[in-house]
Amino acid sequence: MAIEKILKDDASEEKGERARMASFVGAIAITDLVKTTLGPKGMDKILQSTGRGHEVTVTNDGATILKSLHIDNPAAKVLIDISKVQDDEVGDGTTSVVVLAGELLREAEKLVAAKIHPMTIISGYRMAAECARNALLQRVVDNKENAEKFKSDLMKIAMTTLSSKILSQDKEHFAQLAVDAVMRLKGSTNLEAIQIIKKPGGSLKDSFLDEGFILDKKIGLGQPKRIENAKILVANTAMDTDKVKIYGARVRVDSMSKVAEIEGAEKEKMREKVKKILGHGINCFVNRQLIYNFPEELFADAGILAIEHADFDGIERLALVTGGEIASTFDNPESVKLGHCKLIEEIMIGEDKLIHFSGVEMGQACTIVLRGASHHVLDEAERSLHDALCVLSQTVNDTRVLLGGGWPEMVMAKEVDELARKTPGKKSHAIEAFSRALVAIPTIIADNAGLDSADLVAKLRAEHHKEGCNAGIDVISGSVGDMAELGISEAFKVKQAVLLSATEAAEMILRVDEIITCAPRKREDRM
Amino acid sequence: MAAVTAAQPRSSKTESYVDNKRKEDIRQANIKAARAVADAVRTSLGPKGMDKMISTANGEVIITNDGATILNKMEVLQPAAKMLVDLSKSQDSAAGDGTTTVVVIAGALLKQCLLLLTNGIHPTVISDSLHKASTKAVDVLTAMAVPLEISDRESLIKSASTSLNSKVVSQYSTLLAPLAVDSVLSVVDPAKPDMVDLRDIKIVKKLGGTVDDTELVKGLVFDKKASHAAGGPTRMENAKIAVIQFQISPPKTDIEQSIVVSDYTQMDRILKEERNYILGMIKKIKATGCNVLLIQKSILRDAVTDLSLHYLAKAKIMVIKDVEREDIEFITKTLNCLPIANIEHFRAEKLGHADLVEEVSLGDGKIVKVTGIKDMGRTTTVLIRGSNQLVIDEAERSLHDALCVVRCLVSKRFLIAGGGAPEIELSRQLGAWSKVLHGMEGYCVRSFAEALEVIPYTLAENAGLNPIAIVTELRNRHAQGEINAGINVRKGQITNILEENVVQPLLVSTSAITLATECVRMILKIDDIVNVRIMKWQSTAKYLLSSRILYGGFFLNFLFCLFVFFSKLCFLVNNETIHMQHAHLTIQALL
């Protein structure tokens, strides 16, 4: 029986049961991979690259782990995507979202095995998610009016976020740093203005917040090391001779002196360019590209601080914070926006000299200098701090706050359970399953801490049966504790994003009943 | 199908909901690998420690006693082992010395952790207790330390020689220790008394002679000959030195150029013009009174030609060519002069002054010395001599360690006893402290205390003494209140180590403890190793760049630009791209 081939060679398709199996297996595998990183006693992972050098990263950040995995399973890819989106949107909860989606799928797998149609499960999940969200909304605390309380809320959120990371030992110090930095932003979520500089050496405790901007570059030879009331021109221009960039362009001369003339003319062009730049009335010039010896000397003669070879990032940020624009032509000095700052000086951090711009135009700008024993520590510290900063900047806009430590999950689970009891029909099973998936999060937190999760979660559930209880898992003492007293808080926005995107992702994967793998595009060998 | 096969390697994990076997395995494997690294360097600890000979992949041989160097060259692959290598690097940058100690402590801590783990203690509990113990340990060490005045040259020399005593060059410690102290003290800026920038100390290595001939030069040393090509002067008193960044050679434009010669007379004229051109430059130089020229190396064209050397010799100007661009800053700082990038800017006020610039023959090679510099910047130069390259290299590493030790003392002015005394005291005090702690913590702190005994144990073992006898004896002496009792390796017994002048900076000990704990805690917290693929743009671009040089086809050109463009888009290689563009330009110039 020769059935004609519909798909190309190498392409494959999987249907019904098997397709769903593949999705479930993939998604659950991913969940199991990252779930041990959840919570304050979560473990870290080594990411070992298979590329040259076998570089090693040690991390606890779900998004970082998932981003680096290379995976063929389509369902697993969906989970990785939601963790990425979570990272971009709110910055934290990247592990939670994947774990919750995975648990939802794990429960769905059982329901499908019990012959419940995926569509029924989906609609049950939807109802449950809506109900859970309402439950959270009822219990949120909003301290927008009270600045003092709000600040302490921010501190708590920052500490909760940091407690699961490498910074946990110095979490108060870093929470303070993060809160100060975010408060400077005054409500904008533009984290660009917060610059993080990593300098090996010292210990994590030596990290500090500095107002202004720090550029990791050197000041040219023989130029002033300190400038007050600086007018800064930020540029991206080639400071060697403007070359005629046509292939094969060449000059023909008939004597040596003419060559010398041309050389002189080239030099003259450079001098002209420098003159034009000086014509802007500046006293600091920062270039993205190299400034060669000759112009450097000219700048030094004019008493101007010239910084060469600042990278893309540095240039863009510098332009942003000093309020200047990146210039590449210098013919119209009046149309170029110069940057301003009160003071430029050279400072030493550890063993390195850096350039410090203080009193910059954009008041929000600040720099966090991270110190740490090694690059692993610094990289991980940066990731952790970034998470905290993201969450805080989101919280400043949406000031609603929840308790942490598994408390929101238990609150939601309780409400969802109620709903399940009220709902007639098969949907009720799905809603019940949703509640079980929610409870899985405190279970995993307890498991990671090496605690008896079954016992703790049961206790927690009993506590939550009382009205207005604040009970959550206190991982440090290994028991059920009052989260309000322990000061463990989370941002409402993070929880909501976790809940909604996990439900959506689970829904999407559940809908799949066929996977078609396309034939890989043939590529010609490069060499 | 594809999906199933992809999930296959991980399928064991999907089932292992309660199965912690894999996590345990990973942890065990990590700890074992890290300990293997620690064991490898253990024998090089202490004054009687042995050296290692490392033969690198390209056939080079290195003999060293420096932990950081050994580990650096070992090329370990296992991630946890790699973290130990990084640990010793961190110690190197933080304190400069104690790179072996830190790894040995980390190894001992891991050994104890393994025991604790098998007893079923949760890794995070161990990790938290270790942190507490290390904070306490730093307090204990600080309490033990003896404050030091920076003017106390004797004590500084003592601690520098303690560091040098464990090296290959230990017999020269009487020479090298004062040298290290003097050179650091001479670069200390009175405005910022606790900052020492070791980049202000230049180490020049020259083969020939013995380590005995190593000297501190108040001035500059170039490992280069003065240019002899046309019999120019090789000794200049009352030198006026110019550092130039332009070239004294026939003009060359950035645009491609060619001189069209149509008849014989024209050729003559061109030659004459060339001579006049160079002569004009040299006249300008001579007019400022300059008599020594330092010329920066240029890759685009000859820095000097035979012709210009000839004229310079005639003008009695001493020439040192091929000065690296990186050295320019150091040189200008030392000579207190400004680099000159154009002949038009050649002015007398940009010159540096020195009493004497002379070429000195050393064995088969020659160096140029600049001494008696007027208004000399806060820099100094050390000239290292040795009978073979291996000795010189090891001497340089040892000297670097000694310099770091002195630097530590300048920035944190406390001394502590050596010879295992601080470790055994820590072990004793932490042991006592662990008894007042509750629960798991006490148990873990006790293990930490036990782990620290590894240092005196290894010291004794390496010196061929009976380690158990020595360590128990040491413990006994410390229990009786002799906190400075330590192992005297020379005499093979226990003495008051402070009286024996075996001292080290406090910073070395504290940073060894904190760094080792931090690293161990990181290793403990790992429960999985995930293989990942990195974005390949960088490496591919580099590969293309290299093949471009080989084949240089249009197609490759195009690909290369595409890649550079892409990598810019990806924001992956900020600096890399710039470097590449840079290289790109250079290549264009070369082709």
Side-chain angles (χ1 to χ4, degrees), chain B residues 189-249:
Chain B
D189 188 350
K192 280 180 274 179
D194 14 326
M195 283 291 197
V196 179
D197 194 347
L198 284 188
R199 274 167 294 193
D200 288 339
I201 299 173
K202 192 176 169 193
I203 296 180
V204 177
K205 298 183 280 185
K206 192 78 191 161
L207 199 64
T210 59
V211 180
D212 273 328
D213 302 330
T214 300
E215 60 176 329
L216 181 73
V217 180
K218 285 262 167 222
L220 270 177
V221 171
F222 294 98
D223 184 13
K224 292 187 176 67
K225 284 191 284 192
S227 188
H228 285 280
T234 55
R235 181 185 159 91
M236 192 65 71
E237 281 174 33
N238 288 326
K240 286 183 185 152
I241 308 164
V243 180
I244 62 169
Q245 296 178 307
F246 59 91
Q247 298 83 16
I248 306 180
S249 56

Side-chain angles (χ1 to χ4, degrees), chain B residues 148-156 181 185 413:
Chain B
L148 163 94
E149 275 306 310
I150 196 74
S151 49
D152 184 2
R153 191 159 166 271
E154 283 304 308
S155 299
L156 290 176
V181 173
L185 289 183
R413 295 172 184 177

Side-chain angles (χ1 to χ4, degrees), chain B residues 507-572:
Chain B
L507 194 64
V508 171
S509 293
T510 51
S511 100
I513 299 265
T514 43
L515 289 176
T517 337
E518 210 161 286
C519 177
V520 169
R521 290 179 58 210
M522 210 157 184
I523 293 181
L524 272 181
K525 279 195 91 179
I526 290 160
D527 72 342
D528 207 352
I529 297 179
V530 185
N531 277 314
V532 297
R533 188 165 41 186
I534 45 157
M535 291 296 223
K536 291 269 174 59
W537 295 116
Q538 285 185 43
S539 43
T540 321
K542 271 180 202 153
Y543 169 65
L544 278 174
L545 182 70
S546 56
S547 44
R548 233 173 68 92
I549 300 167
L550 287 177
Y551 309 105
F554 256 110
F555 177 63
L556 287 175
N557 239 321
F558 172 71
L559 263 185
F560 178 72
C561 296
L562 210 73
F563 263 104
V564 171
F565 177 67
F566 251 115
S567 36
K568 268 187 205 167
L569 267 187
C570 299
F571 290 139
L572 267 174

Side-chain angles (χ1 to χ4, degrees), chain A residues 494-509:
Chain A
V494 173
K495 276 290 151 200
Q496 175 181 281
V498 167
L499 181 70
L500 298 184
S501 39
T503 318
E504 256 168 45
E507 198 176 295
M508 197 151 76
I509 295 172

